Amino acid sequence: MAFTRPFLNQPTQTKPFTRANMRTSFLSILSIFLFLSLPSLSLSERCNPKDKKVLLQIKKDLGNPYHLASWDPKRDCCDWYVVECDPNTNRINALTVFQANISGQIPAAVADLPYLETLVFRHITNLTGTIPEAISKLVRLKMLRLSWTNLTGPVPASLSNLKNLTFLELNYNQLTGSIPPQLAQLTNLGAIRLDRNRFTGEIPEEFGKWTGSIPDLYLSHNQLTGSIPKSLGNMNFSTIDLSRNKLVGDISFMFGKNKSTQSADYSRNMFEFDFSKVEEFPASLVSLDLNHNKIMGSIPASLTKVDDLRALNVSYNRLCGKIPTGGNLQSFDVYSYLHDKCLCGAPLPACK
């Protein structure tokens, strides 16, 4: 009988190392690496830690309101409510607080968000105090909207440092004092809204010396006095609203054929001049409101040549004579001409 070696002593057979085996091994290692890296990816955070610290301070200064409940330090602040992060730098570039049940003052800490381009506190009736001077440090700001609040005190002249501003909205507040002439140094503005406050004093002469962009100018519903600076006549405002102040004098120099004004509201002041001496109006004029002043003379016939005129109000003045025929003047109702000294002709009763 032949004697055989035990099974354990028999030589083992190995599989040849093929290209397919090598590919399988590589995919296995790659899968393990990706799996192990998942936890670290989920824990990564875009938000800059300095910005996060500042935002949490702002929340604390505002009394930890429910409106900012998403501002959880355990979460990425780029995902928080009312803030935005720049997709490239991951720095906070927008803080927009709107219609919030928040009481207190604007935290000075907002000035410690150096990459802010948009800052909004709007429709917050319990927001009080003054505009923080520190906001002037936010030199990247393009939009500043602090409106429909109960902010008081003056407008900091240092806001003129915000050279990149394209929109400044400070209306519907309780701001007082004079309008800083330095604001005319904001040469990139598309619009400046200072209406519906309690500003006093005169319109700054500098507002007639804008360089660069000429902004839409809203100064209505204040307590401004004096006459309109002659320098404003050199400006080509698309929209100008000076209504409901205590302004006086002649504003005939504010009109002209070479301007591109679309909307002009000078109503409810004490302007006094001869309207018939205004020989030319901007062809672009869409709306003109002169009601409740002391304007005398007659309605200029040149107003019939303004083809785009869609709104006109010259009521409650001292105008006299026949309303010129032509253009759009007969398309307006009687309320556009009421309570003048002796106007007549359509749409009013015929002249005697």
Side-chain angles (χ1 to χ4, degrees):
M1 177 185 297
F3 179 80
T4 59
R5 293 182 179 181
F7 175 77
L8 292 175
N9 292 333
Q10 291 183 0
T12 57
Q13 295 181 347
T14 58
K15 295 181 180 180
F17 193 78
T18 65
R19 185 183 297 271
N21 291 338
M22 186 168 74
R23 184 173 177 224
T24 302
S25 299
F26 173 78
L27 291 175
S28 299
I29 294 171
L30 181 62
S31 299
I32 294 171
F33 173 79
L34 291 174
F35 177 79
L36 293 175
S37 66
L38 282 176
S40 62
L41 288 174
S42 63
L43 292 175
S44 65
E45 185 169 322
R46 290 174 53 208
C47 178
N48 183 279
K50 293 181 180 179
D51 290 349
K52 189 172 193 176
K53 182 179 180 181
V54 171
L55 289 172
L56 290 173
Q57 183 63 51
I58 292 172
K59 180 182 179 182
K60 180 181 178 182
D61 292 345
L62 291 173
N64 297 309
Y66 178 75
H67 196 77
L68 305 180
S70 69
W71 291 21
D72 184 345
K74 297 179 181 179
R75 295 179 56 195
D76 188 339
C77 73
C78 289
D79 297 327
W80 290 356
Y81 185 49
V82 305
V83 298
E84 294 180 17
C85 281
D86 184 278
N88 297 317
T89 65
N90 292 331
R91 301 301 297 264
I92 297 294
N93 66 355
L95 173 59
T96 308
V97 186
F98 178 74
Q99 287 187 332
N101 185 17
I102 288 177
S103 300
Q105 303 182 11
I106 297 175
V110 297
D112 295 325
L113 295 170
Y115 286 81
L116 272 188
E117 296 181 6
T118 299
L119 177 60
V120 176
F121 283 89
R122 196 163 182 262
H123 279 278
I124 309 172
T125 55
N126 291 326
L127 193 67
T128 57
T130 59
I131 299 173
E133 186 94 24
I135 288 178
S136 303
K137 297 192 304 181
L138 299 172
V139 294
R140 288 182 171 86
L141 269 188
K142 295 180 181 178
M143 178 182 293
L144 178 60
R145 305 182 74 181
L146 310 176
S147 57
W148 297 82
T149 74
N150 272 301
L151 291 173
T152 56
V155 174
S158 58
L159 291 184
S160 61
N161 295 331
L162 305 177
K163 304 300 185 185
N164 289 309
L165 272 187
T166 59
F167 187 61
L168 176 61
E169 180 183 88
L170 303 177
N171 59 342
Y172 287 91
N173 291 301
Q174 306 294 327
L175 300 173
T176 55
S178 59
I179 296 173
Q182 294 88 341
L183 296 181
Q185 298 172 18
L186 299 173
T187 57
N188 289 307
L189 280 182
I192 177 170
R193 302 210 61 146
L194 303 177
D195 48 302
R196 294 182 184 268
N197 281 288
R198 298 180 180 180
F199 292 121
T200 55
E202 299 185 353
I203 298 172
E205 179 80 24
E206 288 78 2
F207 275 27
K209 301 176 182 178
W210 297 91
T211 59
S213 174
I214 307 301
D216 293 340
L217 182 63
Y218 298 88
L219 302 180
S220 71
H221 293 78
N222 282 293
Q223 300 170 28
L224 300 174
T225 55
S227 58
I228 297 178
K230 292 290 184 181
S231 60
L232 264 69
N234 300 323
M235 296 291 97
N236 192 7
F237 295 106
S238 178
T239 297
I240 181 168
D241 186 353
L242 307 182
S243 63
R244 293 180 183 265
N245 281 289
K246 301 176 181 179
L247 300 169
V248 299
D250 184 354
I251 61 170
S252 57
F253 62 91
M254 295 298 294
F255 303 100
K257 186 177 182 180
N258 294 327
K259 295 190 176 184
S260 56
T261 304
Q262 295 182 350
S263 177
D265 191 344
Y266 302 105
S267 64
R268 294 183 180 270
N269 282 285
M270 294 180 284
F271 294 123
E272 189 172 358
F273 64 99
D274 187 342
F275 197 29
S276 59
K277 292 184 178 181
V278 179
E279 297 179 355
E280 295 180 326
F281 292 89
S284 56
L285 193 62
V286 174
S287 175
L288 175 62
D289 197 341
L290 298 170
N291 80 79
H292 284 84
N293 281 290
K294 300 178 181 180
I295 302 171
M296 63 193 82
S298 58
I299 296 177
S302 55
L303 205 52
T304 63
K305 299 178 182 178
V306 184
D307 296 332
D308 292 331
L309 192 64
R310 297 291 178 267
L312 175 69
N313 193 339
V314 294
S315 64
Y316 290 89
N317 279 289
R318 300 174 181 178
L319 296 171
C320 207
K322 182 180 179 181
I323 298 173
T325 302
N328 296 323
L329 297 189
Q330 277 65 51
S331 67
F332 305 118
D333 58 32
V334 295
Y335 298 102
S336 295
Y337 303 101
L338 278 182
H339 295 283
D340 275 290
K341 186 177 180 181
C342 52
L343 277 181
C344 58
L348 296 177
C351 299
K352 296 179 181 179

